Amino acid sequence: MAAKPSPTMLRRQLGAELRRIRDRAQRTVASVADQVGWSESKLSRIETANTGVRNADLDRLLTAYGVDDAERTRLRALAAQSRQRAWWEAYGDALPDAYETFIGFEAEATSIRTYEAQVVPGLLQTAEYASAVMHAFVPSDRSEVIEQRVAVRMARQAVLTRQPPPQLWAILDEDVLRRPVGGPDVLRRQLLRLIQASEQSMVTIQILPFSVGAHPGLAGSFMVLEFAGSGAGSGAGTSAGVSDQPLVYSEGLTGGVFRSKPDDLRSYLDSFEALRAAAMTPVESMEAIAAAARGES
């Protein structure tokens, strides 16, 4: 039986539908926002699924577009489904809004490609390593927030055991193997976890060595999510629906950023391919990780 779509993906589907209807009506974001009395950013956030939409606001939009009763009923039902609570919303007070949205997309992804310059990717972290990472970002007087965020990170990893699981391809800078996050013992156990994870058929891990020198990843860590319908490796410019198109996600100190414009997607996909080509092979990478776990330089 197919898994029930997450509220985040349903919200993305609704946003894509609303954009399609606006395009069909040959209306700009500015003209619609002016008519309904909103800011342009509010309408854009709804169309890109960065925020939900209340029934009253949805009705104002559909009236502006001249939508008939049948289509209005269908879209209201979709909006209602998109407002259902997902498991991670129970931790909402401890999570940035963009991160909550990201978890919803990750839960639906069929392919996850990630480049990490500083730490092990969240989907492959041990609990003690994740806790050490969180302590670096969250004030020490908010220990309950750290505990909740670690719990969410561990729960996220269930995506790798769903059926079918997503394909995870992780490229880690060699620096990740050397940085003693949580101390040498925590790092050693984390490295052993990476070796264990690599034994799963859907997980590929590569190490980008220092010897590469300058590379596209110097701009920072990023993740590319692809979904059913976009086609593996299709990238930007496919004929898939807007709600199926790949997304790029990158985290910052004050929250995460999503990118979905075709040119942006192509740049990140090209960068990932360049990093993949420059990195050690998966076999060489496991040897490097094992050596690091043994404390060898």
Side-chain angles (χ1 to χ4, degrees):
M1 182 173 65
K4 182 179 179 181
S6 73
T8 304
M9 287 301 293
L10 292 171
R11 195 164 66 225
R12 193 181 190 203
Q13 181 181 342
L14 176 63
E17 291 263 16
L18 292 174
R19 180 172 181 176
R20 177 184 60 79
I21 292 170
R22 178 173 59 77
D23 289 342
R24 185 180 66 192
Q26 298 183 325
R27 300 288 301 277
T28 65
V29 170
S31 69
V32 174
D34 182 65
Q35 179 178 344
V36 300
W38 297 348
S39 65
E40 293 182 37
S41 63
K42 177 177 178 176
L43 179 54
S44 293
R45 289 196 303 272
I46 290 172
E47 290 187 349
T48 56
N50 284 311
T51 188
V53 58
R54 297 177 302 173
N55 278 338
D57 285 344
L58 179 61
D59 285 340
R60 293 172 72 182
L61 274 181
L62 299 182
T63 297
Y65 297 144
V67 170
D68 62 32
D69 290 343
E71 192 165 27
R72 186 184 296 260
T73 298
R74 180 178 65 83
L75 292 171
R76 285 192 62 144
L78 180 58
Q81 294 176 54
S82 73
R83 288 193 290 270
Q84 295 175 3
R85 287 176 62 83
W87 66 262
W88 54 86
E89 293 183 51
Y91 300 90
D93 291 343
L95 304 177
D97 290 344
Y99 188 57
E100 282 194 69
T101 301
F102 161 72
I103 294 173
F105 288 141
E106 181 185 66
E108 297 289 333
T110 56
S111 170
I112 302 171
R113 302 183 226 182
T114 180
Y115 166 70
E116 282 290 349
Q118 303 293 338
V119 297
V120 170
L123 288 178
L124 300 175
Q125 290 179 5
T126 64
E128 57 183 353
Y129 185 97
S131 180
V133 171
M134 298 299 179
H135 274 90
F137 292 101
V138 180
S140 59
D141 61 348
R142 302 187 67 193
S143 59
E144 74 286 351
V145 172
I146 294 175
E147 292 175 1
Q148 289 180 317
R149 291 189 180 182
V150 171
V152 169
R153 183 149 297 183
M154 294 301 101
R156 276 177 51 203
Q157 296 179 5
V159 73
L160 297 178
T161 61
R162 76 171 194 227
Q163 293 300 323
Q167 294 295 313
L168 173 62
W169 198 310
I171 299 176
L172 283 60
D173 194 280
E174 185 178 352
D175 196 41
V176 175
L177 308 186
R178 312 298 176 190
R179 178 171 289 105
V181 174
D185 289 340
V186 170
L187 176 61
R188 180 179 61 81
R189 288 188 287 270
Q190 174 62 77
L191 296 177
L192 294 176
R193 164 68 180 128
L194 289 179
I195 295 173
Q196 180 185 45
S198 72
E199 296 172 355
Q200 298 173 272
S201 61
M202 74 288 191
V203 175
T204 302
I205 300 173
Q206 290 183 263
I207 302 301
L208 188 71
F210 292 138
S211 59
V212 169
H215 57 80
L218 293 177
S221 304
F222 63 91
M223 183 180 294
V224 181
L225 304 175
E226 289 188 317
F227 307 95
S230 63
S234 62
T238 72
S239 59
V242 174
S243 62
D244 295 327
Q245 287 296 289
L247 281 176
V248 171
Y249 178 75
S250 55
E251 290 186 327
L253 285 175
T254 57
V257 176
F258 292 97
R259 294 177 174 84
S260 58
K261 293 180 179 178
D263 288 347
D264 290 345
L265 289 170
R266 176 50 54 198
S267 293
Y268 279 95
L269 287 166
D270 288 347
S271 292
F272 189 88
E273 285 304 302
L275 292 168
R276 182 194 59 76
M280 301 177 187
T281 68
V283 172
E284 293 169 340
S285 297
M286 288 307 105
E287 293 173 351
I289 293 172
R294 294 191 298 267
E296 300 174 9
S297 58

